Amino acid sequence: MAQASSVTVPYVSYLRVYEPLAAFPEPEREHWAGYARRGHLPTAQDELRRSLADLLPTPPVAVPVHESGDAFVAELDGVVCVCPWRTRLRGWLALQELPELFPEPMLDAALPPVVRRQAAADFERWLERNPDARPWIRSSVWHVPVSWFALFAGEERTYTKAREGSAPTLSYRTPMVQARRRVARALKALRELLGEGRGDGGAGDSEGGVEVLLIGGLVDRLVDVGRWLEEFHPRSLVELDYGGLVHTLPAEHLADDVSAADVAEGIAALRAGDGAGAGEAYERLMERWRTVRERQFAN
């Protein structure tokens, strides 16, 4: 079975929210409390392998028939927090993004149109019964979005080198209150700069890479992630996990990766009116991730 495979599935990074047990209604709270006490909990790689196994039948299973009862578990200040996988919901959401990632012939070969249409119809019916549903996990392929880095400080970075029998890891964790505060500060700085640019002839007058920041839609993406964070308990834990990306990057790249610190430096420079400094920080970030994104198209 694919679940038991030792094959590592790379390329995906994650933004997760772990909510305290108190955030869940009964009987779900009791379920997660018991789940958290279990040993040998499954990993993100296990979830990916299960999803890939669903693509093997003919026709493939685009979205699991039943919702997952698994979750990731963490502690924040001694309080048990869980991040439900909600694999079925995330599968439906991922299907909506696939046309932007793959050319139509490739997509049709992997997931025939009839399969996608059926999954879309199932999702529509499900949403009618669950209008307030939202995932606890967001994922991204072949990169980590800049907006995710804005939630964290450089000192919240945790990196462990590869050891015999274990892969390297790179992640960040922060309390929800800090993540929300950083989103608000970043948005304030960017909006003020955008307003100044409109007032004197447009954002094109900004120095360095600041123009790219604005044109790239960072404001919209920060608004989106900020609204998502507002859906959760204020005492939640937010985690950015490089996930399978660590298997595609050289050890020296991972050791030197301080992307969250670069974003924080850029935002701080904007707030101080230092457009050149912000541009330099952004260029370092873009150069680092340009190398990673190019691997997506390598043979």
Side-chain angles (χ1 to χ4, degrees):
M1 295 294 290
Q3 298 95 304
S5 171
S6 61
V7 174
T8 298
V9 184
Y11 319 139
V12 184
S13 61
Y14 305 93
L15 185 65
R16 305 186 182 105
V17 173
Y18 295 75
E19 287 196 283
L21 294 176
F24 297 91
E26 293 291 4
E28 189 176 7
R29 183 187 308 172
E30 183 178 355
H31 164 75
W32 292 129
Y35 182 92
R37 291 192 292 267
R38 291 168 45 187
H40 306 292
L41 296 177
T43 68
Q45 287 290 312
D46 293 321
E47 183 192 25
L48 274 172
R49 289 169 186 144
R50 294 175 191 179
S51 298
L52 290 176
D54 286 338
L55 299 179
L56 297 178
T58 304
V61 180
V63 175
V65 177
H66 303 289
E67 187 55 273
S68 172
D70 287 306
F72 300 109
V73 179
E75 281 196 14
L76 177 62
D77 297 330
V79 176
V80 174
C81 299
V82 297
C83 174
W85 284 5
R86 291 296 191 270
T87 306
R88 194 175 193 222
L89 171 58
R90 288 165 50 220
W92 277 319
L93 295 175
L95 279 178
Q96 297 176 341
E97 300 174 359
L98 286 180
E100 301 176 6
L101 299 174
F102 301 101
E104 188 172 349
M106 182 182 298
L107 184 56
D108 289 347
L111 288 171
V114 64
V115 173
R116 302 203 304 274
R117 287 195 297 270
Q118 182 61 57
D122 292 342
F123 187 32
E124 186 175 345
R125 288 191 296 270
W126 185 87
L127 276 180
E128 291 176 357
R129 303 189 302 272
N130 303 274
D132 298 325
R134 80 285 196 256
W136 278 256
I137 305 172
R138 289 188 167 194
S139 58
S140 179
V141 294
W142 282 109
H143 77 299
V144 178
V146 175
S147 57
W148 293 8
F149 286 121
L151 311 183
F152 304 91
E155 60 268 22
E156 292 167 340
R157 175 182 184 270
T158 299
Y159 169 62
T160 58
K161 297 180 180 180
R163 298 184 178 88
E164 185 176 354
S166 65
T169 64
L170 181 54
S171 63
Y172 295 82
R173 283 184 173 183
T174 196
M176 176 64 76
V177 63
Q178 290 285 12
R180 290 176 178 172
R181 183 178 295 124
R182 289 170 184 144
V183 168
R185 288 176 177 172
L187 281 172
K188 184 174 185 293
L190 290 168
R191 283 169 170 162
E192 286 178 352
L193 182 65
L194 182 59
E196 292 171 3
R198 286 174 174 168
D200 61 12
D205 295 330
S206 301
E207 296 183 58
V210 176
E211 178 185 0
V212 181
L213 261 170
L214 297 173
I215 295 175
L218 180 55
V219 169
D220 290 340
R221 290 191 289 272
L222 277 170
V223 168
D224 176 62
V225 77
R227 288 174 176 168
W228 179 65
L229 294 179
E230 290 294 334
E231 297 286 335
F232 300 99
H233 194 284
R235 295 189 177 181
S236 298
L237 175 70
V238 185
E239 176 185 63
L240 190 165
D241 180 6
Y242 273 47
L245 283 180
V246 299
H247 301 288
T248 69
L249 303 176
E252 59 273 17
H253 184 122
L254 289 172
D256 295 338
D257 188 323
V258 290
S259 295
D262 284 337
V263 172
E265 181 180 331
I267 297 299
L270 288 180
R271 296 175 65 195
D274 181 6
E280 291 173 4
Y282 185 71
E283 284 302 319
R284 289 198 303 272
L285 182 74
M286 289 300 97
E287 180 60 31
R288 181 181 302 122
W289 286 97
R290 188 178 297 115
T291 302
V292 179
R293 292 301 295 266
E294 287 173 352
R295 291 172 180 265
Q296 179 178 0
F297 306 103
N299 291 330

